[in-house]
Amino acid sequence: MNKVDPQKLLSEHLLKQSELNTRRVFLQKFGLSLGTLAMGTLLPGCHLKSDESNKLQRSFSSFPDFNPLKPQSPHFVAQAKSVIYLHMAGAPSQFEMFDYKPVLNQLHGQECPPSLLNGKKFAFIRGVPKMLGSQAKFAQYGESGAWLSEHLPHFRQVVDEVSFIRGIHTDQFNHAPAQLMMHTGSSQLGRPSLGSWVTYGLGSENENLPGFVVLTSGGVYPDAGKQVWGSGFLPSVYQGVHCRSKGDPVLYLGSPEGTTRNIRRMAIDAINDVNRLTYEEFNDPETVARISQYEMAFRMQISVPEVMDISKEPQYIHDMYGTQPGNESFANNVLLARKLVEKGVRFVQLYDWGWDTHGVGKDTALEIGHINKCRDTDKPIAALLLDLKQRGLLDETLVIWGGEFGRTPMQENRNGVEQLYTGRDHHPDAFTMWMAGGGIKSGGAYGETDEIGYNVVGDKTSIHDIHATILNQLGFDHEAFTYQFQGRPFRLTDVAGKLIHDILV
Amino acid sequence: MAIKSKNYVIRVLWIIGILVIVLLASSIYRNTFRDIDYNTQVKPILNKHCISCHGGVKQNAGFSLISRSNALEVTESGLPAIIPGDIKNSEFIRRLTTDDLDERMPQGSDPLSEKEIIILKNWVKQGVKWGVHWAYNPLKKQDNEKPRSLLTVLSSESNMTPRSIDYFIQDKLVELGLKQNSKAERSELLRRASFDIVGLPPSLELIKKYVESEEIDFEEVVDILLNSNSFGENWASMWLDIARYADSKGFERDQNRSIWRYRDYVISSFNTDKPYNQFIIEQMAGDLLNNPTDEELVATGFHRNTSTNDEGGTDNEEYRIKAVMDRVSTTWEGLLGTTMACVQCHGHPYDPFPHKEFYQSMAFLNNTRDADTNPDYPVLYFLDTLSQQKLDDLTEWIQLVDTKQKSQEIEKFVRTVQPVIYSIEADQYVNSALYDTKYLGLRKDGVARIPNVPLTQIEVLLMRAYTTQYGGKLFVHIDYPQGEVIAETNLKKSTEGYEIIEIPIKEVSGNHDIFLEYQNPSLDLEDSPGIMMDWYYLSQNFPGKTDIKHRFYKREYYDLLESKHDHTLIMTENPDSRKRRTHVFDRGNWQIHKEEVFPKVPEVLPQINSTSDPDRLAFAKWIVDEGNPLTSRTFVNRVWEQIFGQGIALTVEDLGSQGVPPTHLELLDWMAYTWMYEDEWSIKDLIKKILLSETYQQSSITSTESQAKDPSNQYLSRSPRIRLSAEQVRDQALMVSGLLSNKMYGRPVMPPQPENVWQTPYNTESWIRSEGEDQYRRAIYTMIKRSALYPSMETFDLSARQVCVSRRIRTNTPLQALVTLNDPVFVEASEHLAQRMKNEGGGELKDQISFAYKLAMGKDIADDKGLVLQNLYKRSLTSFKSQNDDKYLNAEMDALTTVANAVLNLDEFLNK
């Protein structure tokens, strides 16, 4: 079970080929070739770069391909084919996970010096807070000797697979705008998400599945809502498709009661037959596109429930990930993420809500809620990296972990009052993320914070740098990857962003 | 006939011959002798090659091409780069032509083409003439005498009215060697016009009158549709996209917001054909009109549709400023077709708008009373009948015992609760805090400062607050925490949430900081606040002190203030003590102030004539002044885009130099001019004018030739075939199935939606399915929650309404197929349509199918299409029958429903 069955791969390949052929036959029947079908409605402005020699040039206004999700090649050879992005919504504390600060432990309980507070704005800390030492024991693991908290026992096995980025900063200290910043490169509403950019640039490898899938756990959406997987000013075809654990995995996927697969086939045949006659009348290429979209919808009705069903996974996989079919859980979503990238989905975005450890109640206490969140995510994350590796997929899958900002080395004192539990306020100036696979160095590290993890002292990394690096691994020059909107070319990285070379292979 | 066609051939040959000569001659002439035109020849070259390094943002080597004066300035080299008339000494030209690769511009790219260099050389030689971008040129009456192009004169067979839509469109088509399609079939035209005006398929009655008996002509159809109330329900969508209207607040918790009266205002304004200039003034500044009516106040909801953030720990001022900046961008993009958003960080990279001008526009809008408060103040309250009666009695009594002015002041206060000071204006705290950054709470011995409170002639402080404890006492000090006590009161424990607490105030004059101090010996220091405060109102004593009914009416007054009323968000202006100054923000960062600025419109446009600082109302009037070159062009272009699927200038959001230039500039200008002066800003007249053109009424058949010469149909050699909008897709299915409710207006409705679509954090609100006909209302009335849009409409590209959306991009995806095939709303519509087919369609299957198709498409079904659907019925019937299951007892009905659903999924049904 550890290896992918080559026979299976071959048969999959052959199946895909035959599907492609069917499509070609259909198109020839209408006297059209792939290159001459007009998308029509995806109007102007959709180009990646104005340079005409650029192979990425896609002008929807002239003679585009009718399928906006057709696989595309990026600017240069990509290290990663797909992305699994694990976002811990609420912002996990670096001090209880990855950023070991013995000096902070010594300062525990002392009043925060004014030099750290002058000119700073906090979401909840008022007046003079007290320093808060780490609420976890740390030790070094792996050949890289990375420091890890005791709350991440499984992560020890895979610590050498990842590269830590410890000196990240953002400019937002409230969840919604910071999540927008993290996923769209701007704290303003209305920009396309990272996954939308990637799908716009690369299309989808699998014709029967969406190119950009979103999975959520923790009971609610991230604070910034669906806009963090929205397509902003890009066509909505590039927005993330939220797959759900309960009800239809994709909204409206299931046929109405009584409509069997057979009847559905008849209906779609009839619809498409009438549409062909309509095409003969008006010659509108959009009609041809619609015919193919109905075919894809028909296929999706089978392919999506299939890929979203984890009950048929072998027991050892369930043991490894800690999955329980039927639940809405982070573990289930992580396993689904692996299945989806295996099937050619480009971008799988996970949101796990509940990391906002302010210490205002048990759920948000570092000594209770935070430990629970670590326990629920540690095992599946380790399993994901091991599983991708054993399938030979880690090399081509970029895995990203992180929150929207960091947390303060001070104990929160909301409203100027001492709290019952230990907890930390939002902190935009220094936090940790990690990346693995997809051309990321094994056992690497970049960036350093000061002795109390308050400020970055070396190799400061911005969110735009993270985005530039992600795009680079997917084969994009982030400065040339643009979309014309409101009279100017927009970039995910706006006017900034530099590659984090140190963590690249 | 034969002679005529021979003449025709000769004429065509002539035309071709002349064309060749003219083209050759003109290209030689243009490149060598003629005056270089800045806008069409120079500006495109500069924008393409130069301006990203020498524009409004980057000015490398101190050289910028953003305006003529900039371009001629001395650069870092100590010399100007361009010397008018002097090619030899113009460094600009030398750098473009030198062989030294280190010096040659554009750096690191290919050199400019020879043609481009010739143009630039001639431009310098001819004195560096600058031009005003087309959109900033004033609109002028066009000369009727101006001859058409030679080609049109020679080829035109009809005597077309000069200066009409068809005149301009056909003039261009002739140049391209294209002809318009012939007139569309009546049925096709009726369906198209019906969707373009009311957003619904035509009724059977209208089909009968126009298509079958031909008793009315097309103009009558247009009039009937324009007079229908459904017109406003359809056209409101485009405006609500611009206004980013939604029924929730936007960020994080995204709580519901009550501003649906603004949506109704928009619908009704379209229906009453409110002149566009009035429409804009009301929305931008209705509150500043003399004695504004409710309608004028509701209209100001336009700019209250900005997102607010109730997330705990947010800085209220930060989100107030974000909202104001969004209003600036929306005003410019939505009303003036100019993208200003980039100017908040730096000068416009391509257009003549310096950085400062964004903030000068902001200065018009920066003094409104909204402040990211949790209750979204200011609002206008709508009283129920009983409360309204109480208010009427109260104001009548005040007029008896005091003045009319006093009575109006009290009435205004009950309706708007303005002007108050919000508790979140507190800026210093001891044992107190802004709880969840929303309300001021004072704990034991808590003190908080409210700055700069006007106290002259103030007799009483009304405070909206609730107290959680017995035994509390509140003191109001002035100037410093232990300063003179000007008011104090013992507090009871609130019984029903927030109450009005009245505290008499000692006479003090001038503005002072006030310090609110809370004492309560029964509390410990760590305990929760004893009092939570919302707002403070400083006023004179309640009138009629000597009247016997004084006490009674005062209690009535406070009751009215304490009761819950319906409300909608409005704009009001700050009182003098709360006037804000506006500064330039360094690179858009609201925390770093640069120079102070005052209200002013950009220099490149006509200025406001005013001696004092113009206000928001003056700004609104300037926008719709006939001398403003942008407003009419912008809206006419938007209406064109709504009808033809793309604007005359494609980028409806940006008529600036980076936008796509108009395909028919003269047409746009002519329409924009006549719309203001002849149609007097009537939107219905504008729509009618377009619909009555031949251009609109041609068929949408695409010939190989027109596809090849005009692939995206910018030149309108055929009528565009456009997919229906999200709203129309839903409304159409409900209408043909007979489910659509024609109830208008009111609070948003919640038609069936799958479970668990709303998963917003810290928000207990839920989707409560509407009952009765409210499930079948037109899409415009569907609840719009920004963080979780109604999913079936989102799939059909409904905009999320977070920011101003100028145009929706239409997509074509498999998820859309899943909606119309499987969404329970469409399944129910299919069942109802099937029922109608059976009941109203006649006894034969063929007729039933034909009936459904006519309901859907407004015409009889073609035989071959009918056969396909009959076949579907027969095959699915066999299949349903073979499912020996109790559930499928009614196989005939199931098969008919399958057919009905197929009709709702046809390509022609989803298009207009």
Side-chain angles (χ1 to χ4, degrees):
Chain A
M1 282 309 293
N2 286 3
K3 289 235 168 78
V4 177
D5 182 357
Q7 194 57 43
K8 200 175 147 220
L9 276 179
L10 179 66
S11 61
E12 263 181 29
H13 174 76
L14 291 174
L15 184 69
K16 201 169 174 185
Q17 279 302 311
S18 70
E19 277 171 6
L20 269 174
N21 287 336
T22 319
R23 193 160 79 133
R24 270 187 213 115
V25 168
F26 161 72
L27 290 167
Q28 278 157 7
K29 190 174 154 194
F30 288 92
L32 296 155
S33 67
L34 276 169
T36 57
L37 283 161
M39 185 65 189
T41 53
L42 284 174
L43 274 174
C46 319
H47 61 81
L48 297 176
K49 204 183 177 186
S50 55
D51 181 358
E52 277 161 15
S53 63
N54 191 312
K55 62 180 170 176
L56 272 165
Q57 173 73 22
R58 269 198 291 158
S59 161
F60 285 126
S61 57
S62 52
F63 293 101
D65 197 308
F66 77 93
N67 177 11
L69 289 172
K70 190 178 92 89
Q72 304 278 331
S73 14
H75 296 126
F76 41 80
V77 177
Q79 297 292 310
K81 278 170 67 182
S82 43
V83 176
I84 297 176
Y85 190 136
L86 314 169
H87 182 89
M88 308 294 111
S93 168
Q94 68 274 30
F95 297 107
E96 278 74 27
M97 298 181 85
F98 302 115
D99 209 11
Y100 176 53
K101 293 292 158 195
V103 175
L104 179 63
N105 295 345
Q106 290 160 23
L107 297 172
H108 179 79
Q110 295 184 23
E111 282 201 347
C112 179
S115 60
L116 298 183
L117 302 174
N118 287 344
K120 292 276 179 191
K121 259 182 159 4
F122 297 95
F124 295 100
I125 284 177
R126 299 288 180 262
V128 180
K130 295 200 166 77
M131 303 309 291
L132 179 67
S134 177
Q135 301 298 299
K137 291 193 187 78
F138 274 73
Q140 283 178 293
Y141 296 95
E143 280 176 32
S144 60
W147 289 92
L148 283 183
S149 122
E150 59 182 329
H151 301 324
L152 304 171
H154 295 276
F155 200 74
R156 293 168 197 167
Q157 307 165 63
V158 292
V159 71
D160 282 339
E161 300 296 341
V162 313
S163 271
F164 290 99
I165 309 158
R166 293 203 181 88
I168 306 173
H169 69 99
T170 179
D171 57 6
Q172 299 295 320
F173 64 80
N174 296 118
H175 296 292
Q179 286 168 3
L180 284 170
M181 181 74 204
M182 194 47 118
H183 295 282
T184 73
S186 165
S187 61
Q188 304 283 351
L189 297 163
R191 300 283 169 82
S193 58
L194 176 58
S196 295
W197 277 108
V198 170
T199 320
Y200 161 65
L202 292 175
S204 174
E205 284 274 287
N206 186 321
E207 290 206 321
N208 305 330
L209 292 172
F212 174 18
V213 171
V214 179
L215 304 164
T216 57
S217 56
V220 290
Y221 288 161
D223 306 70
K226 288 164 76 174
Q227 31 255 33
V228 281
W229 63 86
S231 55
F233 48 68
L234 291 176
S236 63
V237 68
Y238 301 116
Q239 79 195 359
V241 174
H242 184 216
C243 288
R244 301 145 27 111
S245 324
K246 295 197 178 105
D248 278 343
V250 166
L251 286 175
Y252 313 120
L253 190 69
S255 293
E257 205 184 329
T259 300
T260 59
R261 193 77 184 142
N262 189 21
I263 288 170
R264 177 44 51 88
R265 182 69 259 172
M266 291 173 196
I268 286 182
D269 284 346
I271 292 163
N272 283 349
D273 282 347
V274 174
N275 288 351
R276 285 183 188 104
L277 294 167
T278 304
Y279 178 73
E280 281 171 15
E281 268 174 88
F282 292 99
N283 291 311
D284 182 356
E286 265 317 273
T287 310
V288 182
R290 180 153 291 112
I291 291 169
S292 75
Q293 302 298 15
Y294 272 74
E295 289 297 336
M296 176 160 170
F298 183 71
R299 295 195 300 268
M300 273 176 71
Q301 288 194 292
I302 295 295
S303 60
V304 174
E306 225 168 60
V307 75
M308 288 294 292
D309 178 12
I310 57 166
S311 67
K312 295 194 182 75
E313 290 292 312
Q315 191 56 42
Y316 93 94
I317 288 286
H318 287 307
D319 294 343
M320 193 172 165
Y321 282 84
T323 37
Q324 286 179 316
N327 282 2
E328 183 208 81
S329 71
F330 179 75
N332 285 12
N333 287 351
V334 171
L335 175 54
L336 284 172
R338 190 268 287 162
K339 288 188 70 182
L340 288 164
V341 296
E342 220 172 13
K343 295 271 183 195
V345 172
R346 283 287 184 204
F347 204 100
V348 187
Q349 175 73 57
L350 271 68
Y351 290 101
D352 185 51
W353 196 81
W355 289 88
D356 197 13
T357 44
H358 285 286
V360 291
K362 282 185 185 167
D363 285 353
T364 64
L366 286 171
E367 61 271 38
I368 303 167
H370 180 74
I371 295 176
N372 290 339
K373 289 308 283 184
C374 287
R375 192 176 48 236
D376 292 347
T377 55
D378 179 42
K379 188 174 183 182
I381 288 175
L384 174 69
L385 296 183
L386 291 172
D387 197 16
L388 287 172
K389 197 174 184 188
Q390 72 182 353
R391 281 158 204 272
L393 287 169
L394 187 57
D395 289 344
E396 57 188 49
T397 308
L398 176 61
V399 184
I400 306 157
W401 178 97
E404 61 268 28
F405 40 65
R407 308 206 75 95
T408 54
M410 294 88 87
Q411 163 76 39
E412 179 169 321
N413 62 347
R414 186 172 294 212
N415 304 319
V417 180
E418 217 168 277
Q419 295 179 179
L420 286 176
Y421 300 96
T422 57
R424 303 179 186 277
D425 200 357
H426 308 166
H427 187 53
D429 296 344
F431 63 106
T432 303
M433 291 176 70
W434 58 253
M435 296 191 197
I440 300 291
K441 208 180 261 179
S442 304
Y446 182 74
E448 199 185 331
T449 55
D450 61 22
E451 289 178 317
I452 57 166
Y454 193 59
N455 283 310
V456 179
V457 290
D459 298 331
K460 203 166 178 175
T461 304
S462 76
I463 308 297
H464 297 307
D465 300 341
I466 303 270
H467 289 160
T469 307
I470 293 170
L471 290 180
N472 181 69
Q473 296 314 91
L474 290 163
F476 290 103
D477 170 359
H478 69 101
E479 290 184 354
F481 188 29
T482 63
Y483 184 86
Q484 195 73 16
F485 175 67
Q486 290 189 335
R488 75 168 174 102
F490 272 82
R491 275 162 48 187
L492 172 62
T493 50
D494 196 15
V495 293
K498 56 182 194 314
L499 288 188
I500 315 170
H501 287 286
D502 291 47
I503 62 163
L504 305 183
V505 172
Chain B
M1 257 339 258
I3 294 170
K4 197 176 174 189
S5 71
K6 194 179 166 190
N7 280 344
Y8 185 74
V9 171
I10 293 172
R11 191 193 270 176
V12 169
L13 286 173
W14 263 107
I15 294 166
I16 295 169
I18 292 170
L19 178 68
V20 171
I21 296 165
V22 167
L23 286 179
L24 275 174
S26 76
S27 81
I28 296 165
Y29 176 74
R30 180 184 294 183
N31 286 339
T32 45
F33 307 108
R34 217 177 71 176
D35 277 357
I36 295 291
D37 180 57
Y38 174 80
N39 278 327
T40 56
Q41 293 177 277
V42 178
K43 181 87 180 164
I45 302 175
L46 301 182
N47 276 4
K48 190 173 168 197
H49 300 290
C50 317
I51 212 128
S52 56
C53 297
H54 304 285
V57 184
K58 286 188 193 166
Q59 307 185 348
N60 289 359
F63 177 51
S64 163
L65 286 156
I66 203 73
S67 71
R68 186 173 191 269
S69 58
N70 282 119
L72 302 183
E73 264 173 28
V74 172
T75 65
E76 280 168 17
S77 69
L79 292 168
I82 304 180
I83 301 163
D86 187 350
I87 301 178
K88 283 208 180 104
N89 292 309
S90 286
E91 181 74 1
F92 172 66
I93 298 294
R94 192 187 70 81
R95 287 295 195 101
L96 291 172
T97 48
T98 176
D99 293 332
D100 182 345
L101 283 183
D102 289 339
E103 292 207 310
R104 207 215 47 236
M105 295 288 155
Q107 221 165 36
S109 306
D110 292 337
L112 270 57
S113 72
E114 208 161 307
K115 200 176 129 200
E116 289 169 327
I117 288 175
I118 291 175
I119 291 174
L120 294 181
K121 276 184 174 171
N122 280 333
W123 177 58
V124 173
K125 198 191 228 162
Q126 291 170 9
V128 194
K129 279 189 199 132
W130 220 264
V132 176
H133 177 65
W134 65 268
Y136 311 133
N137 271 323
L139 283 161
K140 288 190 195 124
K141 192 170 172 61
Q142 285 182 21
D143 183 3
N144 256 337
E145 301 306 307
K146 189 197 162 207
R148 290 180 245 175
S149 75
L150 193 56
L151 295 167
T152 327
V153 174
L154 287 171
S155 69
S156 177
E157 307 238 347
S158 65
N159 281 324
M160 208 177 295
T161 328
R163 309 286 143 190
S164 68
I165 290 171
D166 298 318
Y167 162 85
F168 289 107
I169 294 291
Q170 296 193 14
D171 200 31
K172 266 272 158 56
L173 282 175
V174 170
E175 272 179 45
L176 292 169
L178 281 170
K179 274 189 84 168
Q180 285 196 326
N181 274 347
S182 53
K183 195 167 173 172
E185 302 263 338
R186 278 191 171 229
S187 56
E188 185 188 339
L189 194 52
L190 178 61
R191 179 175 162 86
R192 184 188 303 160
S194 189
F195 272 105
D196 284 338
I197 301 175
V198 296
L200 294 169
S203 65
L204 286 177
E205 193 197 341
L206 209 52
I207 296 169
K208 187 162 166 284
K209 277 190 184 158
Y210 178 67
V211 183
E212 289 167 0
S213 68
E214 303 196 2
E215 57 190 277
I216 55 173
D217 65 15
F218 186 64
E219 183 168 357
E220 285 170 286
V221 167
V222 170
D223 286 334
I224 290 170
L225 292 169
L226 282 172
N227 284 323
S228 153
N229 278 333
S230 306
F231 164 70
E233 292 176 317
N234 182 43
W235 277 79
S237 286
M238 64 89 81
W239 193 258
L240 296 177
D241 274 359
I242 291 168
R244 65 263 188 260
Y245 164 80
D247 302 305
S248 71
K249 292 178 170 184
F251 282 102
E252 211 211 27
R253 299 176 195 194
D254 194 25
Q255 282 164 341
N256 295 350
R257 169 186 281 171
S258 172
I259 192 167
W260 51 269
R261 281 185 172 83
Y262 169 75
R263 175 248 283 145
D264 288 353
Y265 161 85
V266 174
I267 294 173
S268 120
S269 297
F270 273 103
N271 277 341
T272 56
D273 201 20
K274 182 173 285 171
Y276 184 74
N277 51 357
Q278 185 190 343
F279 186 51
I280 295 305
I281 289 174
E282 288 175 358
Q283 294 179 80
M284 288 292 295
D287 58 310
L288 298 177
L289 296 169
N290 277 337
N291 295 320
T293 60
D294 279 6
E295 184 183 358
E296 286 160 348
L297 288 173
V298 170
T300 62
F302 175 64
H303 270 329
R304 292 302 314 281
N305 283 311
T306 42
S307 297
T308 50
N309 198 344
D310 284 339
E311 188 180 333
T314 51
D315 188 306
N316 295 307
E317 178 65 1
E318 179 180 1
Y319 284 88
R320 184 193 73 78
I321 286 172
K322 275 194 184 187
V324 176
M325 290 170 87
D326 178 62
R327 286 169 196 157
V328 178
S329 302
T330 298
T331 304
W332 278 98
E333 178 180 336
L335 313 187
L336 295 155
T338 303
T339 53
M340 267 287 190
C342 50
V343 186
Q344 57 185 269
C345 298
H346 47 67
H348 200 290
Y350 310 103
D351 291 317
F353 299 110
H355 185 37
K356 186 166 88 174
E357 292 188 338
F358 181 92
Y359 296 92
Q360 289 174 331
S361 286
M362 182 164 145
F364 287 110
L365 304 173
N366 197 24
N367 264 307
T368 56
R369 198 65 204 114
D370 57 295
D372 203 52
T373 61
N374 190 45
D376 260 344
Y377 295 135
V379 298
L380 177 65
Y381 288 106
F382 288 83
L383 278 49
D384 60 23
T385 326
L386 179 63
S387 298
Q388 188 59 49
Q389 187 58 52
K390 286 182 172 183
L391 179 60
D392 292 346
D393 293 347
L394 171 67
T395 49
E396 198 179 313
W397 175 79
I398 296 173
Q399 281 196 47
L400 284 175
V401 299
D402 204 304
T403 60
K404 185 166 184 200
Q405 195 194 344
K406 188 78 198 171
S407 139
Q408 282 169 346
E409 178 195 316
I410 298 244
E411 182 179 7
K412 185 188 165 213
F413 192 72
V414 170
R415 292 295 308 282
T416 63
V417 192
Q418 290 293 343
V420 294
I421 293 170
Y422 307 129
S423 74
I424 58 165
E425 292 177 47
D427 63 349
Q428 290 180 7
Y429 325 90
V430 176
N431 293 329
S432 63
L434 289 187
Y435 277 77
D436 209 23
T437 55
K438 294 180 181 62
Y439 296 98
L440 176 64
L442 302 182
R443 299 191 294 272
K444 181 184 174 68
D445 300 337
V447 181
R449 181 177 88 156
I450 313 280
N452 194 32
V453 178
L455 291 170
T456 308
Q457 289 181 357
I458 294 302
E459 297 169 330
V460 66
L461 167 66
L462 297 190
M463 175 168 73
R464 184 171 187 267
Y466 81 81
T467 47
T468 62
Q469 303 294 330
Y470 290 104
K473 209 167 173 188
L474 190 77
F475 300 90
V476 181
H477 304 263
I478 55 170
D479 301 332
Y480 47 98
Q482 290 81 33
E484 183 190 352
V485 174
I486 58 163
E488 60 177 280
T489 191
N490 291 318
L491 300 164
K492 292 181 205 142
K493 186 177 170 184
S494 301
T495 47
E496 285 170 48
Y498 278 95
E499 298 178 339
I500 302 298
I501 297 172
E502 174 198 310
I503 316 169
I505 285 191
K506 262 204 245 172
E507 203 180 313
V508 185
S509 65
N511 290 12
H512 296 264
D513 294 346
I514 62 172
F515 292 83
L516 300 162
E517 182 190 2
Y518 175 75
Q519 288 189 359
N520 193 335
S522 65
L523 282 179
D524 286 328
L525 271 177
E526 288 74 26
D527 283 346
S528 304
I531 184 166
M532 298 290 283
M533 301 169 173
D534 182 15
W535 50 251
Y536 316 99
Y537 178 48
L538 295 137
S539 71
Q540 287 77 49
N541 282 327
F542 189 71
K545 196 153 193 178
T546 52
D547 191 278
I548 189 162
K549 291 182 180 159
H550 173 83
R551 275 183 71 124
F552 170 76
Y553 278 115
K554 190 157 87 172
R555 190 59 250 166
E556 290 279 281
Y557 176 41
Y558 293 167
D559 276 350
L560 283 169
L561 293 176
E562 282 168 358
S563 321
K564 285 208 163 110
H565 310 291
D566 257 11
H567 70 264
T568 193
L569 276 59
I570 59 164
M571 291 270 215
T572 63
E573 200 72 348
N574 272 330
D576 287 342
S577 74
R578 291 287 179 270
K579 283 266 184 278
R580 300 184 187 95
R581 287 158 179 263
T582 305
H583 293 86
V584 173
F585 296 154
D586 187 28
R587 298 201 60 80
N589 183 338
W590 68 281
Q591 288 170 302
I592 307 175
H593 287 191
K594 287 168 58 179
E595 61 180 303
E596 184 175 3
V597 290
F598 301 92
K600 186 178 178 307
V601 297
E603 201 59 53
V604 70
L605 295 168
Q607 296 297 298
I608 296 176
N609 289 321
S610 159
T611 41
S612 58
D613 266 358
D615 62 0
R616 184 156 43 87
L617 180 60
F619 187 40
K621 287 180 172 163
W622 172 83
I623 290 171
V624 292
D625 187 282
E626 276 82 1
N628 188 316
L630 288 166
T631 308
S632 180
R633 280 184 175 115
T634 301
F635 192 74
V636 165
N637 196 39
R638 285 184 185 286
V639 168
W640 189 274
E641 191 253 2
Q642 287 294 306
I643 293 170
F644 290 109
Q646 48 191 329
I648 297 174
L650 204 60
T651 43
V652 294
E653 69 281 5
D654 183 19
L655 304 183
S657 69
Q658 277 305 96
V660 179
T663 46
H664 305 77
L665 175 59
E666 283 183 303
L667 169 61
L668 178 60
D669 283 359
W670 172 75
M671 287 183 74
Y673 181 88
T674 51
W675 185 50
M676 291 191 292
Y677 289 99
E678 289 171 23
D679 304 329
E680 291 168 345
W681 304 93
S682 158
I683 296 171
K684 285 189 181 181
D685 284 1
L686 176 60
I687 293 170
K688 186 170 172 181
K689 188 185 276 182
I690 296 173
L691 264 60
L692 292 186
S693 69
E694 287 175 28
T695 303
Y696 177 79
Q697 294 177 37
Q698 57 183 329
S699 94
S700 58
I701 291 169
T702 312
S703 72
T704 326
E705 195 192 7
S706 79
Q707 174 72 35
K709 289 186 179 166
D710 184 16
S712 57
N713 201 19
Q714 285 170 288
Y715 296 97
L716 294 167
S717 57
R718 57 191 183 271
S719 178
R721 219 172 159 261
I722 301 169
R723 202 209 68 214
L724 302 179
S725 70
E727 292 92 332
Q728 291 167 347
V729 167
R730 170 188 163 82
D731 292 346
Q732 171 177 250
L734 292 179
M735 176 157 167
V736 302
S737 61
L739 285 167
L740 186 68
S741 155
N742 61 6
K743 185 172 156 189
M744 290 183 76
Y745 302 134
R747 55 188 77 250
V749 293
M750 303 192 192
Q753 160 176 294
E755 298 281 306
N756 297 320
V757 170
W758 281 17
Q759 294 188 36
T760 317
Y762 309 110
N763 187 328
T764 52
E765 291 160 347
S766 55
W767 185 269
I768 301 161
R769 186 169 159 172
S770 296
E771 289 175 2
E773 71 172 316
D774 278 350
Q775 293 177 53
Y776 309 110
R777 302 277 300 281
R778 287 200 69 170
I780 191 93
Y781 300 114
T782 302
M783 166 93 198
I784 296 189
K785 187 183 177 68
R786 285 186 162 114
S787 61
L789 289 178
Y790 188 63
S792 64
M793 299 205 303
E794 184 183 27
T795 305
F796 279 96
D797 311 314
L798 179 74
S799 50
R801 303 271 176 82
Q802 295 153 352
V803 289
C804 176
V805 176
S806 281
R807 49 184 170 137
R808 300 184 190 172
I809 302 173
R810 284 179 294 273
T811 61
N812 188 344
T813 72
L815 298 179
Q816 289 165 0
L818 292 174
V819 168
T820 42
L821 289 166
N822 300 333
D823 176 359
V825 170
F826 285 82
V827 172
E828 189 183 0
S830 309
E831 286 163 2
H832 277 256
L833 178 57
Q835 202 65 52
R836 279 190 85 177
M837 290 161 74
K838 200 178 162 208
N839 298 344
E840 303 168 50
E844 298 291 316
L845 171 67
K846 186 169 172 286
D847 298 335
Q848 291 172 351
I849 287 173
S850 196
F851 175 72
Y853 187 84
K854 186 185 257 179
L855 280 173
M857 297 304 303
K859 61 179 178 189
D860 293 323
I861 192 165
D863 288 346
D864 45 4
K865 290 181 181 173
L867 277 175
V868 172
L869 293 176
Q870 287 173 42
N871 211 10
L872 172 62
Y873 176 84
K874 286 171 193 154
R875 290 181 62 202
S876 60
L877 181 65
T878 317
S879 182
F880 278 117
K881 278 184 173 162
S882 71
Q883 297 172 24
N884 270 333
D885 191 321
D886 288 349
K887 271 189 279 184
Y888 309 127
L889 278 178
N890 203 346
E892 274 101 6
M893 217 45 230
D894 288 340
L896 211 51
T897 302
T898 304
V899 173
N901 182 256
V903 171
L904 300 188
N905 276 278
L906 295 181
D907 179 69
E908 46 192 331
F909 189 64
L910 299 167
N911 281 278
K912 67 175 184 196

